[in-house]
Amino acid sequence: MAAILLALLLSVISTAVAQSRSSNISVGASLTPTGDPVWLSHSGMFAFGFYQQSKGYAIGIFLAGIPHKNVVWTANRDDPPVPSTASLLLTTDRKLVLRSTPEDEVSIVDSTKTIANATMLDSGNFVLYNSTQGKIWESFQHPTTTILPGQQLSAGK
Ligand SMILES: *[C@@H]1O[C@H](CO)[C@@H](O)[C@H](O)[C@H]1NC(C)=O
Ligand SMILES: *[C@@H]1O[C@H](CO)[C@@H](O)[C@H](O)[C@H]1NC(C)=O
Ligand SMILES: *[C@@H]1O[C@H](CO)[C@@H](O)[C@H](O)[C@H]1NC(C)=O
């Protein structure tokens, strides 16, 4: 019985992954912990954005729609949680930044390249593109704790 349920669950997940349609995140988009906290993948399975951590919030990728957030990737994991007044912005100067206070801004991705737009894929990969739609950064290339199906762990990571 358990095996059947598991097989069923896996087939539902792989169907969702196979669709892999994208959400479109453009320059000027922003998130806040208490307003619009996440960008969802097309199927709604994965979310990129704020989740509660101790007394504040952190930025990560997690399975959406389930009560206990299953975090698969975390940004700046050694930094302390940020307050509910923080925001995450894809700025007009084309950087992805976490603003804890107006004076305190940190970049979420370690890239000097200019971001044109971004997407949260149903595979659980968060991808940043340049103006010619070349991938300039993807969370799958920056594993933190959990490896997802389809994600390859490169040497040295
Ligand atoms: C990013 O923007 C370009 C140009 O507007 C568009 O063609 C492309 O589909 C967008 N990318 C994503 C992932 O939505
Ligand atoms: C993504 O958003 C940009 C800017 O709003 C738009 O030009 C483009 O057509 C969108 N792409 C898709 C696939 O929706
Ligand atoms: C976008 O990224 C691709 C792949 O990394 C690269 O080949 C291309 O030159 C970049 N385009 C721009 C405008 O920087």
Side-chain angles (χ1 to χ4, degrees):
M1 186 59 186
I4 294 170
L5 282 179
L6 185 65
L8 208 64
L9 183 67
L10 286 176
S11 82
V12 168
I13 291 174
S14 55
T15 306
V17 170
Q19 289 176 348
S20 235
R21 281 174 296 187
S22 64
S23 60
N24 187 2
I25 302 150
S26 311
V27 165
S30 67
L31 299 175
T32 57
T34 54
D36 229 351
V38 297
W39 290 315
L40 289 174
S41 68
H42 192 275
S43 71
M45 184 155 74
F46 283 99
F48 176 96
F50 288 100
Y51 63 93
Q52 214 151 9
Q53 195 189 56
S54 51
K55 293 243 149 50
Y57 296 87
I59 294 278
I61 296 168
F62 45 88
L63 278 166
I66 53 171
H68 185 81
K69 301 255 181 293
N70 201 333
V71 178
V72 298
W73 180 85
T74 314
N76 304 357
R77 59 195 308 224
D78 297 328
D79 290 359
V82 296
S84 62
T85 50
S87 55
L88 181 86
L89 312 123
L90 185 51
T91 63
T92 47
D93 63 350
R94 296 165 187 278
K95 304 260 176 259
L96 190 62
V97 298
L98 176 61
R99 190 176 287 165
S100 304
T101 67
E103 299 78 39
D104 183 10
E105 245 181 45
V106 292
S107 184
I108 285 297
V109 299
D110 186 17
S111 170
T112 51
K113 305 206 179 96
T114 300
I115 303 164
N117 52 11
T119 191
M120 178 71 245
L121 295 172
D122 281 332
S123 57
N125 195 11
F126 183 71
V127 186
L128 299 173
Y129 300 94
N130 67 15
S131 58
T132 54
Q133 294 303 286
K135 276 187 193 177
I136 53 176
W137 188 94
E138 54 185 320
S139 60
F140 272 14
Q141 292 294 321
H142 298 81
T144 51
T145 48
T146 309
I147 304 296
L148 293 170
Q151 177 173 17
Q152 276 160 15
L153 192 61
S154 343
K157 295 287 165 63

